[in-house]
């Protein structure tokens, strides 16, 4: 019931604790401190993560007094849903308003038997990629563990009873590697059997490429898929499109990605947003081939999804096909992201932006 959380945010969200910020052991400790039985923690977790409850009132096998006690101390959904846009290809996009008024987007994509979700990690983004709607106004703040999980649960609740979430991509608004302290605990819950139970092999973290944070992820040792947003095959062009590249450089990004591959054995993905007349030339394709040929990678080429007010253009179908052919004939595994959800502004940050501009 989204309304409950919205009320809570109105009258001082600080009063009640966002339950999704806690792990099951922390809830167990709280229960025992209250004189309750510890096993109730798993029961509550089962209600929230498997049975998709968003209120304590639904948890009918808990004693009424305990439900009231929980209601007084905790809130399950702390944000509210401002808008849900559903596209005919099975893509649902939610605009979620946080307790402090910040807004983030998340998306559910239905594809065959896959039920994938794309989740945000920050309000806005500090990376400043020139073609991306999320970072046009910079970053406001990091999302909490609970706010990241709430997006997942809100999207899960849109599924039919017999459907299950299968994949998670941290590819919404924000730079997940700039918020690892909250992203990793949220993903711990996403993959825990008591949480969403999704294998890390079906979870992808997408990054602009921050080497120290990639190394931290390598040491963390959980085999998540890593996707690196490359977007250009040389430093001059990359710095133009991805300004943080100026102080990092492509080599450092590639070296960190290689170390991740060595540590986890997961095939790397490189993302490349194709911008007409900017990074889609034969020369760019050949340079990119030089970088990727020796690596065990998947290249995900994403034709630019237009953002209102930005001067970039989506390349013609021929330019896209030519770019692809050069890489494929050079032996690179190339995937072209289907433009699922483009009719509902499903690219990063666009729904929020378009609402702000009306
Ligand atoms: N900060 C992370 C994750 C968020 S962006 C990262 O940089 O990877 C997720 C992906 O969406 C990135 O590859 C990004 O380049 C891409 N993207 C952003 N704006 C886009 C647009 N207008 N059209 C197509 N892809 C876009």
């Amino acid at each position: 019931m989204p309304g409950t959380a919205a009320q809570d945010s109105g009258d001082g969200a600080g009063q009640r604790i966002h339950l999704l910020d806690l792990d099951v052991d922390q809830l167990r400790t709280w229960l025992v401190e209250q004189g309750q039985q510890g096993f109730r923690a798993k029961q509550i977790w089962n209600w929230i993560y498997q049975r998709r409850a968003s209120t304590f009132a639904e948890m009918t096998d808990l004693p009424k007094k305990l439900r009231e006690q929980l209601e007084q101390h905790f809130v399950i959904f702390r944000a509210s849903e401002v808008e849900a846009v559903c596209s005919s290809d099975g893509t649902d996009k939610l605009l979620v308003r946080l307790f402090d008024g910040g807004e983030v987007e998340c998306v559910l994509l239905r594809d065959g038997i896959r039920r994938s979700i794309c989740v945000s990690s920050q309000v806005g983004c500090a990376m400043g990629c020139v073609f991306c709607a999320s970072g046009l106004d910079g970053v406001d703040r990091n999302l909490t563990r609970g706010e990241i999980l709430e997006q997942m649960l809100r999207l899960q609740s849109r599924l039919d009873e017999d459907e299950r979430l299968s994949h998670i991509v941290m590819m919404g608004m924000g730079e997940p590697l700039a918020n690892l302290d909250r992203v990793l605990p949220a993903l711990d819950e996403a993959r825990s059997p008591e949480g969403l139970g999704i294998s890390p092999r079906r979870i992808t973290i997408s990054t602009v490429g921050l080497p120290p944070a990639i190394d931290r992820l390598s040491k963390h040792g959980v085999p998540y898929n890593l996707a690196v947003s490359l977007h250009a095959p040389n430093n001059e062009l990359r710095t133009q499109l991805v300004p943080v590249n100026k102080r990092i450089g492509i080599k450092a990004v590639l070296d960190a990605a290689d170390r991740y591959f060595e540590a986890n054995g997961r095939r790397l993905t490189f993302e490349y947003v194709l911008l007409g007349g900017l990074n889609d030339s034969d020369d760019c394709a050949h340079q990119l081939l030089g970088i990727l040929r020796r690596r065990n990678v998947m290249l995900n080429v994403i034709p630019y999804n237009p953002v209102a007010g930005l001067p970039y253009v989506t390349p013609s179908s021929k330019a896209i096909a030519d770019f692809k052919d050069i890489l494929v004939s050079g032996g690179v595994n190339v995937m072209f992201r289907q433009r699922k959800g483009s009719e509902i502004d499903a690219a990063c940050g666009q729904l929020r932006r378009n609402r702000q501009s009306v």
Side-chain angles (χ1 to χ4, degrees):
M1 239 175 59
T4 322
Q7 275 163 24
D8 197 63
S9 55
D11 61 25
Q15 308 280 311
R16 289 197 280 170
I17 293 167
H18 196 190
L19 185 56
L20 306 180
D21 277 333
L22 270 54
D23 63 27
V24 71
D25 294 331
Q26 289 169 313
L27 177 62
R28 188 178 299 110
T29 304
W30 182 86
L31 287 164
V32 172
E33 278 167 14
Q34 305 297 309
Q36 296 285 347
Q37 289 158 302
F39 76 86
R40 297 285 185 202
K42 277 202 178 173
Q43 214 177 334
I44 295 164
W45 242 231
N46 182 260
W47 270 110
I48 295 175
Y49 288 95
Q50 273 102 52
R51 301 173 77 175
R52 306 175 188 179
S54 60
T55 62
F56 297 108
E58 292 165 72
M59 304 181 185
T60 44
D61 55 2
L62 296 183
K64 192 153 180 286
K65 188 153 178 310
L66 173 58
R67 276 185 269 159
E68 287 168 1
Q69 224 175 338
L70 287 163
E71 187 73 42
Q72 276 168 16
H73 281 85
F74 297 106
V75 59
I76 302 174
F77 282 179
R78 196 187 189 200
S80 58
E81 245 168 67
V82 185
E83 197 172 339
V85 195
C86 306
S87 123
S88 53
D89 65 9
T91 305
D92 296 1
K93 181 156 190 167
L94 302 184
L95 183 65
V96 172
R97 183 169 298 146
L98 307 166
F99 78 94
D100 61 356
E103 291 180 351
V104 291
E105 300 173 11
C106 54
V107 188
L108 166 67
L109 299 113
R110 300 176 178 87
D111 189 9
I113 55 162
R114 279 186 178 221
R115 296 293 174 270
S116 309
I117 56 173
C118 175
V119 175
S120 293
S121 56
Q122 297 181 311
V123 184
C125 184
M127 301 301 120
C129 302
V130 294
F131 50 82
C132 175
S134 297
L136 289 177
D137 300 320
V139 67
D140 289 334
R141 67 171 174 89
N142 287 326
L143 295 187
T144 61
R145 173 195 203 271
E147 287 168 337
I148 296 168
L149 284 165
E150 182 169 331
Q151 296 172 66
M152 298 179 190
L153 291 173
R154 282 181 179 276
L155 293 167
Q156 174 174 254
S157 71
R158 304 183 74 80
L159 297 178
D160 291 342
E161 231 171 273
D162 58 348
E163 292 179 309
R164 268 182 56 81
L165 288 184
S166 61
H167 294 75
I168 299 177
V169 294
M170 295 302 302
M171 259 185 213
M173 292 172 63
E175 170 51 47
L177 263 54
N179 187 19
L180 271 184
D181 286 342
R182 287 130 202 126
V183 168
L184 290 180
L187 291 181
D188 284 344
E189 196 67 78
R191 64 193 169 84
S192 143
E194 285 149 13
L196 292 172
I198 298 177
S199 158
R201 291 162 202 284
R202 294 177 167 207
I203 298 177
T204 300
I205 303 179
S206 178
T207 178
V208 73
L210 305 177
I214 293 177
D215 285 337
R216 181 172 161 200
L217 208 54
S218 303
K219 292 200 187 82
H220 186 60
V222 179
Y224 296 119
N225 300 302
L226 185 70
V228 177
S229 293
L230 196 61
H231 306 321
N234 60 64
N235 276 324
E236 194 188 342
L237 187 54
R238 190 164 196 263
T239 298
Q240 190 187 330
L241 303 178
V242 181
V244 290
N245 187 66
K246 189 168 196 279
R247 59 177 170 85
I248 300 173
I250 291 184
K251 185 176 182 307
V253 174
L254 295 173
D255 288 350
D258 289 343
R259 291 193 289 274
Y260 188 84
F261 176 68
E262 275 160 35
N264 285 285
R266 302 294 295 154
R267 180 168 72 174
L268 299 165
T269 298
F270 285 94
E271 290 161 286
Y272 195 100
V273 171
L274 214 52
L275 302 157
L278 265 178
N279 65 354
D280 63 341
S281 65
D282 287 2
D283 189 31
C284 282
H286 285 294
Q287 288 182 39
L288 188 59
L289 184 58
I291 291 178
L292 300 183
R293 195 171 14 212
R294 296 177 305 278
R295 294 183 159 88
N296 182 9
V297 300
M298 171 65 79
L299 175 68
N300 190 357
V301 177
I302 314 159
Y304 169 64
N305 204 343
V307 176
L310 293 186
Y312 307 105
V313 291
T314 312
S316 66
S317 313
K318 182 175 182 307
I320 296 173
D322 290 350
F323 192 86
K324 178 181 171 181
D325 285 348
I326 293 172
L327 287 143
V328 171
S329 4
V332 176
N333 302 303
V334 185
M335 183 169 76
F336 271 74
R337 191 186 285 173
Q338 296 166 8
R339 297 195 47 168
K340 262 187 157 296
S342 54
E343 71 183 70
I344 55 163
D345 302 326
C348 214
Q350 293 196 37
L351 183 61
R352 180 180 81 139
R353 181 116 203 123
N354 288 347
R355 273 182 59 90
Q356 284 169 345
S357 55
V358 272

